[in-house]
Amino acid sequence: MVRNLFNNVPQRKKSLITYLNPNSILSDQYRTIITNLQFASIEQSYRSLLITSPGYGEGKTTTVANLAVSLALQGEKVLLIDGDLRKPSIHDSFKLENNIGLTNVLIGNAVLSEAVHQTEIGRLAVLTSGSIPHNPSELIASQAMRDLMSNMQKQYDYILFDCPPVLNAVDTKILANECDGVVLVVNNGKTDKEKALEANKILTAARASLLGIVLNEFK
Ligand SMILES: Nc1ncnc2c1ncn2[C@@H]1O[C@H](COP(=O)(O)OP(=O)(O)OP(=O)(O)O)[C@@H](O)[C@H]1O
Ligand SMILES: [Mg+2]
């Protein structure tokens, strides 16, 4: 559960609180989520994770970025990928260029090692979305994506995906099926119960492994 402690914090400091203020209670909450994920991994390995939510603006990007930072600060080799090929924003969170990224690797215009940005945060690397394609779901469902997944899994301890809302884009269902586990973000003020249940149903139908729910902006 991530409580909303952002009220008096300037907007620019909100998104990467785990990096900007690792000693805050909020950062501690993200570490708790990581610990829970690590406990879940004892029996079965959950190394590729997808973070989604039922609808728009519920905190997917904020959550995945902070989970990636938390893992990296614990010494893990992490690749954070912007799998939201419709409305990408990970590059904004990390203030990165988005000229080359996931889509360019998938269509063969770049290789992974050229496309990833190494950050100053431990061994955290970021793969931004790249150019916005006209066929995001086809790219996500492609053999190139599956090949890239297995390539990335060999190189990193954890792969974390940001993605579009599960109720709005088929890409998310496809990616959820490819990943070891899914974390669903629900927003205290924005997500209605029916939508949360519908998201759960869709993820189950996609044979995704739902590891847990993050209650964001809990008041
Ligand atoms: N716990 C929180 N407290 C306060 N503000 C938050 C919190 N989580 C997210 N926000 C803010 O809410 C807005 C939407 O968050 P974010 O971009 O993470 O959502 P999203 O689900 O990725 O949105 P989209 O569906 O557009 O991709 C951002 O301005 C973000 O800074
Ligand atoms: Mg987002």
Side-chain angles (χ1 to χ4, degrees), residues 49-123:
L49 299 170
L50 177 92
I51 292 25
T52 190
S53 73
Y56 291 103
E58 292 166 320
K60 296 176 287 298
T61 301
T62 306
T63 303
V64 74
N66 282 290
L67 293 180
V69 169
S70 298
L71 274 168
L73 290 177
Q74 289 183 13
E76 304 284 4
K77 191 176 180 198
V78 181
L79 180 60
L80 171 62
I81 303 161
D82 199 339
D84 189 340
L85 303 183
R86 294 159 192 268
K87 209 175 119 196
S89 58
I90 287 288
H91 59 283
D92 285 333
S93 306
F94 288 83
K95 315 254 176 298
L96 299 169
E97 296 287 331
N98 190 21
N99 302 329
I100 301 177
L102 175 61
T103 56
N104 308 87
V105 176
L106 291 176
I107 62 172
N109 276 352
V111 294
L112 182 64
S113 56
E114 293 169 354
V116 296
H117 297 263
Q118 297 300 327
T119 71
E120 59 193 42
I121 308 167
R123 292 188 294 162

Side-chain angles (χ1 to χ4, degrees), residues 19-183:
Y19 178 55
L20 296 161
N21 193 354
N23 296 322
S24 65
I25 297 172
L26 187 60
S27 298
D28 204 43
Q29 301 266 343
Y30 283 112
R31 280 191 292 273
T32 303
I33 297 169
I34 292 297
T35 308
N36 290 341
L37 290 172
Q38 286 165 337
F39 277 137
S41 286
I42 290 173
E43 303 252 310
Q44 198 207 314
S45 177
Y46 293 105
R47 297 287 169 174
S48 52
L49 299 170
L50 177 92
I51 292 25
T52 190
S53 73
Y56 291 103
E58 292 166 320
K60 296 176 287 298
T61 301
T62 306
T63 303
V64 74
N66 282 290
L67 293 180
V69 169
S70 298
L71 274 168
L73 290 177
Q74 289 183 13
E76 304 284 4
K77 191 176 180 198
V78 181
L79 180 60
L80 171 62
I81 303 161
D82 199 339
D84 189 340
L85 303 183
R86 294 159 192 268
K87 209 175 119 196
S89 58
I90 287 288
H91 59 283
D92 285 333
S93 306
F94 288 83
K95 315 254 176 298
L96 299 169
E97 296 287 331
N98 190 21
N99 302 329
I100 301 177
L102 175 61
T103 56
N104 308 87
V105 176
L106 291 176
I107 62 172
N109 276 352
V111 294
L112 182 64
S113 56
E114 293 169 354
V116 296
H117 297 263
Q118 297 300 327
T119 71
E120 59 193 42
I121 308 167
R123 292 188 294 162
L124 173 63
V126 177
L127 181 61
T128 62
S129 69
S131 328
I132 294 182
H134 65 274
N135 55 347
S137 28
E138 281 153 52
L139 274 184
I140 293 290
S142 65
Q143 183 61 41
M145 184 70 212
R146 287 194 289 275
D147 293 345
L148 182 61
M149 280 287 270
S150 64
N151 181 7
M152 294 185 298
Q153 267 162 336
K154 285 184 200 131
Q155 296 186 45
Y156 293 90
D157 298 329
Y158 285 92
I159 303 169
L160 269 63
F161 281 94
D162 192 12
C163 65
V166 65
L167 297 185
N168 297 84
V170 69
D171 330 1
T172 301
K173 287 189 268 183
I174 299 164
L175 260 184
N177 181 263
E178 291 288 325
C179 287
D180 297 332
V182 174
V183 173

